Amino acid sequence: MSDAAESVPGSGPAHGKAQETMEHFAHAASECCSAWSEQLRDCTNSAEDFVRKQPIKSLLIAAGVGLLIGLVVRR
């Protein structure tokens, strides 16, 4: 009888191990995403501070980056 139960999809030790592994990866991905989100928020705040303190320099940098992207895309 145990052979029949193990042949049913979604049962047996392999299914339990797969479920445990999937939950582990889901938890790790969640922690990673929240860490990246916090880093992105810090970068955004730094960029906003830079733009507020040096608006002319920010515009020149943005124009230069736009020019470079335009040249690369054009080729």
Side-chain angles (χ1 to χ4, degrees), residues 50-51 54-72:
F50 181 81
V51 170
Q54 300 179 355
I56 301 297
K57 194 173 188 178
S58 299
L59 285 172
L60 292 174
I61 290 171
V65 170
L67 178 66
L68 289 174
I69 290 173
L71 290 174
V72 169

Side-chain angles (χ1 to χ4, degrees), residues 1-73:
M1 282 277 193
S2 65
D3 290 339
E6 289 178 3
S7 65
V8 174
S11 65
H15 175 73
K17 181 66 176 169
Q19 185 74 22
E20 181 181 321
T21 302
M22 185 181 71
E23 289 173 1
H24 172 74
F25 281 122
H27 179 69
S30 175
E31 287 180 2
C32 191
C33 284
S34 55
W36 287 346
S37 177
E38 186 176 327
Q39 288 178 347
L40 181 60
R41 191 175 19 248
D42 290 344
C43 281
T44 302
N45 289 338
S46 295
E48 286 177 0
D49 289 343
F50 181 81
V51 170
R52 283 192 177 105
K53 291 177 183 175
Q54 300 179 355
I56 301 297
K57 194 173 188 178
S58 299
L59 285 172
L60 292 174
I61 290 171
V65 170
L67 178 66
L68 289 174
I69 290 173
L71 290 174
V72 169
V73 169

